[in-house]
Amino acid sequence: MRIAEISSPDIRHQSNGHDRLLAQLDSLIKQTENRSHTNPETLTTLASDIKQILTQLSQLAPFSSNSLKLYIWKLSYRLWNSCVDLSNAASISRSSPAFSPDAVANLRHVAADLLSLAADVSGIPSPAIKSASFYFKTGVVWHDLKKYDLASGCFEKATEIVSKLDISRSSDSDERKLLLDINIARSRTAWEVLEQNLAITLLNRAKCLLFGLFEHYKSLANQYLTFAKSALSKNETNSLNDALKLMNEALELCEKGLGEARTREETTELKGLKFKTLRFISAIHLQKGEYESVIKCVRVLREGSFDGGDHHASLPVLAMKAWLGLGRYSEAEKELRGMVEIKGVPECIWVSAVEAYFQAAGTAGAETAKGVFLGLLGRCHVSAKAAVRMAHRVAGDEGDGVSEAAVKLRAKAVAELVSDERVLALFVGDAAAKERIAMHAVLWNCASILFRSKDYEASAEMFEKSMLYLPFDVENRILRAKSFRVLCLCYLGLFQIDRAQEYITEAEKLEPNIASAFLKFKIYLQKNDQKGAINQILAMTICLDFTTDFLSLAAHEAVACQALPVAVAALSNLLNFYTSGKPMPTKEVVVLRTIVTILTQETGNESEVLKYMKRAHARTSEIGANCFFGTEEAGRREQNWLAVMSWNFGTNCGKEKKYELCMEFLRLASEFYGIRVDGQVEENSITVCKSLILTVSAMIASENQKQIALMNNEVKQALELLDRAGKILTSLSTGVLDPDLFFMYTFNAYDIQGRLGNSESQQLLVKSYASSKACKPEYLLQIGLAASQGPRSNPQVAAFALNECLSALLSCPSPDYQNVALTVRKLIAVASIHKGDTDDDAVHGMYKQAYRIMVGLKEGEFPSEEGKWLAMTAWNRAAVPVRLGQIDLAKKWMNVGLELTKQIVGMENYRSCMEDFISSFEKKCLELSSSKNRP
């Protein structure tokens, strides 16, 4: 309602300041009264302007002139009434208001502040009460707008005003009610901002403001009840206890209020509130498991009822659940049966109660619970819809949190219930077609839950019961086939293979499709008939509703059954669908990777792995790396996986001396590592180079193993591989170059060039290697040994390599004299075999060099056996010149041999013999020369 304006006599302003401010205030309020010019921006601006004037005006307070106060009072009421008009217009209008409710609430707040500024005004009855009322009403508006801080401020201001008054002595009921309402409103706002302690404290204070009035008791009790229900909705640990305390407060207020009721209507209203509170208290006790307290509350409610004992329909449910909680099933059954006699109890209520009895009775009461429901069928009307709901509630839903044993028990009860002839009779006829479908769905879902928990026996029974609600007609043929298929799965889980086969045969008769074909495949796997399973894979691919997902699923099943050849066959058939170019759910590279992974589970599958690796490489060439592997990081991972697997298989085959497979795998590794993904080359150049070089090594090893020379095309192929490796080695910096890898390349390239008769290329290769920083003397020795022997020996390369090796060995701080001795021996052999007597000085020089090496060495540093060989062969070389009479040449070799023996421990006897022989030899030479000089 509009608050009536209060007329006032003419006002004589105290000062020019007052006149100016009040005139501005009057002008602004007139604008709010002119609704045709109000809009959200205008109202907001007006509120701000009025607040500024109010601030200036408050600086001139207090006002001594009562006429000035009265004028401010009038302005406040005008502003308030304007707000009332705006709110009323907004409530009447069907369209959205042209202004914000916040703006109007802000103006109300300004009006309340303006009225408070006037303070006491002579001639106005209860001015403080009216000011508090303005703040109270404004706070209620802010509360409804969920601006709880502003609402709290208004309520606190109102409380501050009325606290200075002695309302307890007032006879005005409205003033007393205002005081109570302010406390309740403050409490409600505190509750909303989660200050529960303050809210309850304010309600407790309000108990002193009841003044023996029925309305006050009812309002306060209702607020306690509201807070209790709010606490219940929070689902917190202490919410039940808090709610119970608040309910008890409400109950106590109802009891006291009944003593203050004056009329029958008031008594009836408070009793209704009391009984409602008691029912809530009963529900809380039930939720807390305090079943004795529930029974007590129900008894109080029943004994305290009036007008013929008209009990509320919820009381038997509360009582029954409490008796169930106490384990007293006979009393619970009495309450359950008593519900049927209560007039007006809906069918759904007692059906839900029976469901609760089913759920709580447990193993001991399962048969009793079933008998109760079936007994109710004979005593009262039960619809098919109620039976469906009953079965659904008792069966429960997945995720109810019950144990597997409880699920099985409930399923058994449902199975017996739905197979009862009286229950089946409810679903006869077209009228119950909808309920029949619903019952089938309930039983199907229950069976599915049991199936997922791997209780296949109970699941099969429930699926069979669900078929009782499927008519034998054409429309339900697909559903019957589906039921047969799922029964097949159940008996597969029970390992009753023959019975599973019977069901899938029946399903195929009703609906031949891919699902039935796949289940047949599973049966073959269970029978360990791998040949039959592979044939069934082909049968699956010709089904009309076949999709490639079934091949992936077949492979998964085969792996689970350890039928790895079947899994490979399934995935191989899946690969055939990629050549068509149609989109596939899984990338081809993933399928190939899976096949290779499966094949690696068993040994001896290297040839099969190689076949699929070659297919991967061929498909990469056909459709491109990005299409085959994918892009970005995922594509690079797939590429790297195939490359690594090729490398691992290659190296393993090499260790097992399967050199042909090793060669193929390493060649593939070089190809996979060199593939570009997203136009980028991975940092695999060294691995590519190593794979190429090892491929050639495997080719040469295979030749030696089979004792069959490489064909010309194979030699050219090896040369191409080495050319690629050489380009990579050339591009690498010296710091990155692996000495072992460079040697392998040089050694293989030397061998291949030798097959082609390119001796100059061989020399260039070895010279290039010898001049590189990666060169090692032991590798030069190997090259020298290889070049010095065999059908394709190269003495020039051998001599160069061995000489370079000797120089490198001797330049080391701690030379390996074993290798030095071996190198010297080979140099002597090369010079002797390939040069013969044409260059005796060169051979002699090698012996002299060996002597110089040995001079100064510690005992045992130079291999004694090699030293003896040098000494003995040098000495023996003098034999031929002695026979031929080449005395100087013979002395040269004998002297070398003698010098060498002096450096070798253990040749003392040899040395003395040699010295004796030289002495006698020199004597004979003198005798011969003297005889020649005689006339």
Side-chain angles (χ1 to χ4, degrees), residues 353-390:
V354 174
E355 170 215 318
Y357 190 83
F358 262 100
Q359 188 172 356
T363 305
E367 289 299 320
T368 304
K370 182 188 70 176
V372 169
F373 180 74
L374 295 177
L376 288 170
L377 280 174
R379 294 209 306 264
C380 61
H381 171 72
V382 178
S383 64
K385 185 176 181 180
V388 172
R389 181 186 171 192
M390 185 67 205

Short mmCIF file of all heavy atoms in Angstrom, two decimals, residues 353-390:
data_model
loop_
_atom_site.label_atom_id
_atom_site.label_comp_id
_atom_site.label_asym_id
_atom_site.label_seq_id
_atom_site.Cartn_x
_atom_site.Cartn_y
_atom_site.Cartn_z
N ALA A 353 6.86 -48.82 0.34
CA ALA A 353 7.14 -49.38 1.65
C ALA A 353 7.53 -50.85 1.55
O ALA A 353 8.45 -51.33 2.23
CB ALA A 353 5.91 -49.22 2.56
N VAL A 354 6.82 -51.58 0.69
CA VAL A 354 7.19 -52.98 0.48
C VAL A 354 8.61 -53.08 -0.08
O VAL A 354 9.39 -53.96 0.28
CB VAL A 354 6.18 -53.66 -0.47
CG1 VAL A 354 6.63 -55.07 -0.81
CG2 VAL A 354 4.80 -53.69 0.16
N GLU A 355 8.94 -52.15 -0.98
CA GLU A 355 10.31 -52.12 -1.52
C GLU A 355 11.33 -51.91 -0.42
O GLU A 355 12.38 -52.58 -0.39
CB GLU A 355 10.40 -50.99 -2.54
CG GLU A 355 11.82 -50.69 -2.98
CD GLU A 355 12.03 -49.22 -3.25
OE1 GLU A 355 11.15 -48.58 -3.85
OE2 GLU A 355 13.08 -48.71 -2.86
N ALA A 356 11.03 -50.99 0.50
CA ALA A 356 11.94 -50.76 1.62
C ALA A 356 12.09 -52.02 2.46
O ALA A 356 13.18 -52.35 2.94
CB ALA A 356 11.44 -49.60 2.47
N TYR A 357 10.98 -52.73 2.63
CA TYR A 357 11.03 -53.97 3.40
C TYR A 357 11.92 -54.99 2.68
O TYR A 357 12.72 -55.69 3.29
CB TYR A 357 9.62 -54.52 3.58
CG TYR A 357 9.55 -55.67 4.56
CD1 TYR A 357 9.47 -55.44 5.92
CD2 TYR A 357 9.59 -56.98 4.11
CE1 TYR A 357 9.42 -56.49 6.83
CE2 TYR A 357 9.55 -58.04 5.00
CZ TYR A 357 9.46 -57.79 6.35
OH TYR A 357 9.43 -58.83 7.24
N PHE A 358 11.78 -55.07 1.35
CA PHE A 358 12.65 -55.95 0.54
C PHE A 358 14.10 -55.62 0.76
O PHE A 358 14.95 -56.48 0.95
CB PHE A 358 12.33 -55.77 -0.95
CG PHE A 358 11.40 -56.82 -1.50
CD1 PHE A 358 10.06 -56.55 -1.67
CD2 PHE A 358 11.87 -58.06 -1.87
CE1 PHE A 358 9.21 -57.49 -2.20
CE2 PHE A 358 11.03 -59.01 -2.39
CZ PHE A 358 9.68 -58.73 -2.56
N GLN A 359 14.39 -54.34 0.73
CA GLN A 359 15.77 -53.89 0.76
C GLN A 359 16.40 -54.12 2.13
O GLN A 359 17.58 -54.46 2.23
CB GLN A 359 15.85 -52.42 0.37
CG GLN A 359 17.27 -51.92 0.20
CD GLN A 359 17.30 -50.51 -0.37
OE1 GLN A 359 16.26 -49.95 -0.71
NE2 GLN A 359 18.48 -49.95 -0.48
N ALA A 360 15.61 -53.94 3.18
CA ALA A 360 16.18 -53.99 4.53
C ALA A 360 16.10 -55.36 5.17
O ALA A 360 16.85 -55.65 6.10
CB ALA A 360 15.47 -52.98 5.43
N ALA A 361 15.20 -56.23 4.69
CA ALA A 361 14.99 -57.50 5.38
C ALA A 361 16.21 -58.39 5.32
O ALA A 361 16.47 -59.16 6.24
CB ALA A 361 13.79 -58.22 4.77
N GLY A 362 16.99 -58.31 4.25
CA GLY A 362 18.18 -59.12 4.16
C GLY A 362 17.88 -60.57 3.86
O GLY A 362 16.77 -60.95 3.48
N THR A 363 18.90 -61.41 4.03
CA THR A 363 18.77 -62.82 3.69
C THR A 363 17.68 -63.50 4.51
O THR A 363 16.88 -64.29 3.98
CB THR A 363 20.12 -63.54 3.93
OG1 THR A 363 21.13 -62.85 3.21
CG2 THR A 363 20.06 -64.98 3.48
N ALA A 364 17.60 -63.17 5.81
CA ALA A 364 16.63 -63.84 6.68
C ALA A 364 15.19 -63.48 6.32
O ALA A 364 14.28 -64.30 6.49
CB ALA A 364 16.90 -63.46 8.14
N GLY A 365 14.96 -62.28 5.81
CA GLY A 365 13.59 -61.85 5.56
C GLY A 365 13.21 -61.81 4.10
O GLY A 365 12.16 -61.25 3.76
N ALA A 366 14.03 -62.36 3.22
CA ALA A 366 13.73 -62.28 1.79
C ALA A 366 12.45 -63.01 1.44
O ALA A 366 11.58 -62.50 0.73
CB ALA A 366 14.90 -62.86 0.98
N GLU A 367 12.29 -64.24 1.96
CA GLU A 367 11.09 -65.02 1.67
C GLU A 367 9.85 -64.36 2.26
O GLU A 367 8.78 -64.34 1.64
CB GLU A 367 11.25 -66.44 2.21
CG GLU A 367 12.25 -67.29 1.45
CD GLU A 367 11.84 -67.47 0.00
OE1 GLU A 367 10.64 -67.66 -0.27
OE2 GLU A 367 12.72 -67.40 -0.87
N THR A 368 9.99 -63.81 3.48
CA THR A 368 8.86 -63.13 4.11
C THR A 368 8.44 -61.91 3.30
O THR A 368 7.24 -61.67 3.08
CB THR A 368 9.24 -62.69 5.53
OG1 THR A 368 9.66 -63.83 6.27
CG2 THR A 368 8.06 -62.04 6.24
N ALA A 369 9.42 -61.13 2.86
CA ALA A 369 9.12 -59.94 2.08
C ALA A 369 8.40 -60.30 0.78
O ALA A 369 7.43 -59.64 0.39
CB ALA A 369 10.41 -59.19 1.75
N LYS A 370 8.86 -61.36 0.13
CA LYS A 370 8.20 -61.79 -1.11
C LYS A 370 6.77 -62.23 -0.82
O LYS A 370 5.83 -61.90 -1.57
CB LYS A 370 8.98 -62.94 -1.74
CG LYS A 370 8.42 -63.43 -3.05
CD LYS A 370 9.10 -64.69 -3.53
CE LYS A 370 8.70 -65.83 -2.61
NZ LYS A 370 9.24 -67.14 -3.04
N GLY A 371 6.57 -62.97 0.29
CA GLY A 371 5.22 -63.41 0.65
C GLY A 371 4.29 -62.25 0.94
O GLY A 371 3.09 -62.31 0.62
N VAL A 372 4.80 -61.17 1.56
CA VAL A 372 3.99 -59.99 1.85
C VAL A 372 3.46 -59.37 0.57
O VAL A 372 2.26 -59.08 0.43
CB VAL A 372 4.79 -58.96 2.66
CG1 VAL A 372 4.05 -57.63 2.73
CG2 VAL A 372 5.06 -59.48 4.06
N PHE A 373 4.36 -59.19 -0.38
CA PHE A 373 3.93 -58.56 -1.63
C PHE A 373 2.92 -59.43 -2.38
O PHE A 373 1.89 -58.95 -2.85
CB PHE A 373 5.13 -58.27 -2.53
CG PHE A 373 4.76 -57.63 -3.83
CD1 PHE A 373 4.39 -56.30 -3.88
CD2 PHE A 373 4.75 -58.36 -5.01
CE1 PHE A 373 4.03 -55.70 -5.07
CE2 PHE A 373 4.39 -57.77 -6.20
CZ PHE A 373 4.03 -56.45 -6.23
N LEU A 374 3.21 -60.73 -2.46
CA LEU A 374 2.29 -61.63 -3.17
C LEU A 374 0.97 -61.74 -2.42
O LEU A 374 -0.10 -61.90 -3.03
CB LEU A 374 2.92 -63.01 -3.34
CG LEU A 374 4.16 -63.04 -4.25
CD1 LEU A 374 4.76 -64.44 -4.30
CD2 LEU A 374 3.82 -62.57 -5.66
N GLY A 375 1.01 -61.62 -1.09
CA GLY A 375 -0.24 -61.62 -0.31
C GLY A 375 -1.05 -60.37 -0.58
O GLY A 375 -2.28 -60.41 -0.67
N LEU A 376 -0.38 -59.23 -0.72
CA LEU A 376 -1.08 -57.99 -1.04
C LEU A 376 -1.75 -58.07 -2.41
O LEU A 376 -2.78 -57.44 -2.65
CB LEU A 376 -0.10 -56.81 -1.01
CG LEU A 376 0.38 -56.40 0.39
CD1 LEU A 376 1.52 -55.41 0.28
CD2 LEU A 376 -0.76 -55.79 1.19
N LEU A 377 -1.14 -58.86 -3.30
CA LEU A 377 -1.76 -59.03 -4.62
C LEU A 377 -3.14 -59.63 -4.51
O LEU A 377 -4.05 -59.30 -5.28
CB LEU A 377 -0.88 -59.94 -5.49
CG LEU A 377 0.33 -59.30 -6.16
CD1 LEU A 377 1.16 -60.38 -6.86
CD2 LEU A 377 -0.09 -58.25 -7.17
N GLY A 378 -3.33 -60.51 -3.56
CA GLY A 378 -4.63 -61.16 -3.41
C GLY A 378 -5.63 -60.35 -2.63
O GLY A 378 -6.84 -60.62 -2.69
N ARG A 379 -5.16 -59.33 -1.85
CA ARG A 379 -6.08 -58.60 -0.97
C ARG A 379 -6.46 -57.22 -1.48
O ARG A 379 -7.39 -56.62 -0.99
CB ARG A 379 -5.43 -58.44 0.41
CG ARG A 379 -5.25 -59.75 1.14
CD ARG A 379 -5.30 -59.54 2.63
NE ARG A 379 -4.34 -58.54 3.07
CZ ARG A 379 -3.14 -58.84 3.53
NH1 ARG A 379 -2.75 -60.08 3.58
NH2 ARG A 379 -2.34 -57.89 3.93
N CYS A 380 -5.70 -56.69 -2.41
CA CYS A 380 -6.01 -55.35 -2.90
C CYS A 380 -5.62 -55.24 -4.36
O CYS A 380 -4.92 -56.09 -4.91
CB CYS A 380 -5.29 -54.29 -2.07
SG CYS A 380 -3.51 -54.43 -2.15
N HIS A 381 -6.04 -54.15 -4.95
CA HIS A 381 -5.77 -53.95 -6.38
C HIS A 381 -4.31 -53.53 -6.57
O HIS A 381 -3.81 -52.63 -5.91
CB HIS A 381 -6.69 -52.86 -6.93
CG HIS A 381 -6.32 -52.46 -8.32
ND1 HIS A 381 -6.55 -53.27 -9.40
CD2 HIS A 381 -5.72 -51.33 -8.79
CE1 HIS A 381 -6.10 -52.67 -10.49
NE2 HIS A 381 -5.60 -51.48 -10.15
N VAL A 382 -3.66 -54.21 -7.48
CA VAL A 382 -2.29 -53.87 -7.86
C VAL A 382 -2.24 -53.81 -9.37
O VAL A 382 -2.66 -54.75 -10.06
CB VAL A 382 -1.26 -54.89 -7.34
CG1 VAL A 382 0.13 -54.51 -7.79
CG2 VAL A 382 -1.32 -54.98 -5.83
N SER A 383 -1.72 -52.73 -9.91
CA SER A 383 -1.64 -52.58 -11.36
C SER A 383 -0.32 -53.14 -11.88
O SER A 383 0.63 -53.36 -11.13
CB SER A 383 -1.75 -51.10 -11.74
OG SER A 383 -0.65 -50.38 -11.20
N ALA A 384 -0.28 -53.36 -13.17
CA ALA A 384 0.96 -53.81 -13.80
C ALA A 384 2.06 -52.77 -13.62
O ALA A 384 3.24 -53.10 -13.45
CB ALA A 384 0.72 -54.09 -15.28
N LYS A 385 1.67 -51.51 -13.64
CA LYS A 385 2.64 -50.42 -13.45
C LYS A 385 3.28 -50.51 -12.07
O LYS A 385 4.49 -50.32 -11.91
CB LYS A 385 1.94 -49.09 -13.64
CG LYS A 385 2.87 -47.89 -13.60
CD LYS A 385 2.10 -46.62 -13.90
CE LYS A 385 3.03 -45.41 -13.89
NZ LYS A 385 2.29 -44.16 -14.17
N ALA A 386 2.43 -50.83 -11.04
CA ALA A 386 2.97 -50.97 -9.69
C ALA A 386 3.91 -52.16 -9.60
O ALA A 386 4.94 -52.11 -8.92
CB ALA A 386 1.83 -51.12 -8.69
N ALA A 387 3.59 -53.23 -10.30
CA ALA A 387 4.47 -54.41 -10.30
C ALA A 387 5.82 -54.09 -10.93
O ALA A 387 6.87 -54.54 -10.47
CB ALA A 387 3.79 -55.56 -11.03
N VAL A 388 5.78 -53.29 -12.01
CA VAL A 388 7.03 -52.87 -12.65
C VAL A 388 7.87 -52.06 -11.68
O VAL A 388 9.08 -52.28 -11.53
CB VAL A 388 6.74 -52.07 -13.93
CG1 VAL A 388 8.03 -51.47 -14.48
CG2 VAL A 388 6.10 -52.95 -14.98
N ARG A 389 7.22 -51.12 -11.02
CA ARG A 389 7.97 -50.28 -10.08
C ARG A 389 8.53 -51.11 -8.94
O ARG A 389 9.66 -50.92 -8.50
CB ARG A 389 7.04 -49.19 -9.53
CG ARG A 389 7.78 -48.27 -8.57
CD ARG A 389 6.86 -47.29 -7.91
NE ARG A 389 7.58 -46.57 -6.86
CZ ARG A 389 7.01 -45.82 -5.95
NH1 ARG A 389 5.71 -45.68 -5.95
NH2 ARG A 389 7.72 -45.21 -5.03
N MET A 390 7.72 -52.07 -8.48
CA MET A 390 8.16 -52.94 -7.40
C MET A 390 9.41 -53.73 -7.81
O MET A 390 10.40 -53.80 -7.08
CB MET A 390 7.02 -53.89 -7.05
CG MET A 390 7.31 -54.77 -5.86
SD MET A 390 7.42 -53.78 -4.38
CE MET A 390 8.46 -54.84 -3.41
#
